[in-house]
Amino acid sequence: MQRSWLLVGVGIMAAGGVAQAQTQITVASVNNPDMVAMQRLTGEFEQAHPDIKVNWVVLPENEIRQRITTDIASGAGQYDVVTVSNYETPIWAKNGWLVPFESLPEEYDEDDLLENLRQGLSFEDKLYALPFYGESSMTYYRKDLFEQAGLEMPERPTWSQMAEFAERLTDRGNSLYGICLRGLPGWGENMAIFSTMVNAYGGRWFDESWQPQLDSPAWKAAAQTYVDLLENYGPPGVTSNGFTETTTLFAGGHCAMWVDATVAASFLSNPDTSQVADQVGFAQAPMEVTERGASWLYTWALAVPHSSSNQQAAQTFAEWATSKQYIELAGERNGWVSVPPGTRQSTYENQHYRDAASFSPFVLEAIQSADPTQPTQDPVPYNGIQFVAIPQFQSIGTRVGQIMAGILAKQTTVDQGLQQAQTFTLRQMTQGGYIE
């Protein structure tokens, strides 16, 4: 039986006019701009659902990932709504850790969700998380700086061209860096961008027999490019810079180029949040020897753990925050350029959004063209572009991200670091039973 859009059967006025106690739910979320905007709009949800009180735990990406994973795996039940991605969702659903969304209200319009995001959040044809925003990756650049230098950004540059541009555009004396990239270690931080670089150089995490390939020529070429770009043309303290920090750097006018999530387009194009809003140009994420896997596919979504004692109220909140109505509300309150992107076809058909977000057709194309089932030039036994959709990847990606940060910090060389990464990954895959 479908739930009412406006009311859940908890906390409403009981017979005789006595109000029952509110159901309190705790939402665990990452501190990205779109998530913070959702937190600010919580009062609208509570006004429409006076029987539900929403509490928030908002932390940086790496920290919130760790807390959510620990809570989910242990069944502690600390959180009622958790921010998850298309990596965790099918794995945790298979483990029985998440509650499926099987009775979505008709007005939610599940068929309006972009197909590749919906598939990534499903297990055995059931949806286990609702997408709050979706993204691919793209190249951002300063049109004014390119024009002054007599440079022209291709529709899809190569990483070699990016290095040439970065050299021309770096002006350290004025705190202008030719390129900004994530350097903060984490499978969802520095490894998100670096994994797509590996793909673009023709590399892969594993061959068809699950043998790790981290010491291959393609990995070495990608790693050397990554290190050279950030050492020579990147900002200082790069190993402390994740998505949030690099967004701030670019918006503050300190980056000539940046390769990262398409979701940042709205933030960078909004004069209220970006000092360079009128000078931001867009291009596809860089390739090198192949376009396949050069740009990622990712969604931050809302899921309800089985350990939650308030599942019905939690699902009602998740439905509200990912609905067409929420997108309308966000557009009216925050401006249409700032609505959560990349989840619904209707958003990209909305004339208000199309008028405010000149980048919207480009972003939609980037998302829809990303194919997690064919992420690399050579065949692989896994799905996922910037991650490998197996449980072991969280520990592997975390450790390799730490090694890459160590290379940037000159604690080891590229060759030595990748050999360490290869050895660690081989051990994990052997222990996981993928390799005999």
Side-chain angles (χ1 to χ4, degrees):
M1 186 171 122
Q2 293 183 343
R3 293 185 299 278
S4 165
W5 188 253
L6 292 177
L7 292 175
V8 194
V10 289
I12 59 175
M13 294 298 291
V18 179
Q20 298 177 4
Q22 279 186 316
T23 297
Q24 296 207 23
I25 62 172
T26 299
V27 179
S29 183
V30 66
N31 64 344
N32 289 351
D34 286 280
M35 303 299 189
V36 173
M38 173 172 49
Q39 184 182 8
R40 288 199 299 265
L41 291 173
T42 300
E44 297 291 330
F45 172 81
E46 292 176 333
Q47 184 175 351
H49 302 80
D51 47 327
I52 304 174
K53 169 66 176 174
V54 182
N55 301 310
W56 286 83
V57 176
V58 180
L59 294 167
E61 181 171 333
N62 284 347
E63 187 174 352
I64 200 67
R65 279 189 194 280
Q66 183 177 11
R67 287 202 186 188
I68 290 172
T69 301
T70 300
D71 185 75
I72 289 278
S74 66
Q78 184 179 358
Y79 308 123
D80 301 293
V81 179
V82 293
T83 308
V84 295
S85 73
N86 46 326
Y87 165 68
E88 296 100 343
T89 299
I91 296 172
W92 290 3
K94 183 178 180 180
N95 290 345
W97 294 349
L98 302 177
V99 180
F101 288 86
E102 296 185 284
S103 301
L104 289 166
E106 183 178 350
E107 57 265 44
Y108 185 83
D109 193 1
E110 181 181 344
D111 291 338
D112 187 45
L113 300 175
L114 297 181
E115 181 62 23
N116 54 359
L117 267 65
R118 186 168 58 172
Q119 289 299 318
L121 297 173
S122 297
F123 175 68
E124 295 183 343
D125 296 324
K126 291 183 180 180
L127 195 60
Y128 280 84
L130 303 179
F132 179 70
Y133 72 72
E135 64 184 33
S136 185
S137 53
M138 63 195 289
T139 302
Y140 301 97
Y141 68 97
R142 288 276 299 280
K143 294 186 292 186
D144 54 336
L145 298 178
F146 267 70
E147 182 177 356
Q148 292 167 17
L151 299 173
E152 184 173 348
M153 175 66 77
E155 182 177 342
R156 184 187 288 275
T158 65
W159 281 106
S160 297
Q161 288 174 316
M162 295 290 284
E164 295 171 5
F165 297 154
E167 182 179 15
R168 293 276 300 275
L169 297 170
T170 298
D171 183 2
R172 292 188 179 278
N174 288 307
S175 299
L176 177 64
Y177 308 103
I179 190 165
C180 293
L181 299 171
R182 301 187 197 188
L184 182 70
W187 73 263
E189 285 283 9
N190 62 346
M191 292 310 297
I193 179 62
F194 182 64
S195 291
T196 61
M197 292 182 69
V198 169
N199 296 340
Y201 273 84
R204 51 188 175 168
W205 277 91
F206 305 100
D207 68 13
E208 291 178 279
S209 300
W210 289 105
Q211 292 290 334
Q213 302 293 298
L214 283 69
D215 57 355
S216 66
W219 270 76
K220 291 179 181 178
Q224 195 62 60
T225 299
Y226 176 73
V227 171
D228 288 346
L229 284 171
L230 289 175
E231 281 187 351
N232 297 327
Y233 316 119
V238 69
T239 56
S240 297
N241 294 341
F243 171 78
T244 302
E245 293 78 12
T246 44
T247 303
T248 301
L249 281 168
F250 194 102
H254 298 293
C255 306
M257 298 183 296
W258 179 34
V259 183
D260 213 295
T262 55
V263 72
S266 59
F267 187 87
L268 298 180
S269 300
N270 187 343
D272 292 336
T273 54
S274 173
Q275 297 178 24
V276 295
D278 60 342
Q279 296 297 338
V280 182
F282 311 100
Q284 295 282 355
M287 60 167 290
E288 188 63 24
V289 303
T290 181
E291 294 184 7
R292 185 165 289 177
S295 52
W296 67 62
L297 181 68
Y298 193 78
T299 177
W300 277 120
L302 302 180
V304 176
H306 252 301
S307 55
S308 167
S309 58
N310 303 300
Q311 293 177 12
Q312 190 175 36
Q315 285 200 323
T316 298
F317 177 81
E319 292 164 11
W320 170 81
T322 61
S323 67
K324 291 181 181 179
Q325 290 88 338
Y326 176 87
I327 291 173
E328 291 279 348
L329 175 64
E332 293 169 2
R333 294 295 180 86
N334 302 329
W336 277 97
V337 73
S338 299
V339 302
T343 60
R344 290 182 169 274
Q345 187 66 43
S346 58
T347 302
Y348 292 88
E349 295 169 354
N350 187 304
Q351 196 60 49
H352 294 296
Y353 185 60
R354 293 168 67 90
D355 291 343
S358 61
F359 50 81
S360 62
F362 177 91
V363 172
L364 181 62
E365 180 183 352
I367 292 173
Q368 291 183 321
S369 64
D371 186 0
T373 67
Q374 293 184 312
T376 55
Q377 178 175 254
D378 295 327
V380 291
Y382 58 84
N383 284 356
I385 299 175
Q386 78 282 14
F387 58 77
V388 178
I390 58 174
Q392 289 76 12
F393 183 76
Q394 186 161 342
S395 61
I396 291 171
T398 298
R399 179 63 187 132
V400 177
Q402 293 167 346
I403 291 171
M404 291 305 301
I407 295 172
L408 282 175
K410 299 186 181 300
Q411 297 170 357
T412 186
T413 66
V414 166
D415 286 349
Q416 291 169 342
L418 291 184
Q419 187 56 59
Q420 293 172 17
Q422 172 76 4
T423 300
F424 178 84
T425 304
L426 181 62
R427 183 168 61 248
Q428 293 292 107
M429 297 301 285
T430 302
Q431 292 173 352
Y434 289 84
I435 301 171
E436 295 183 358

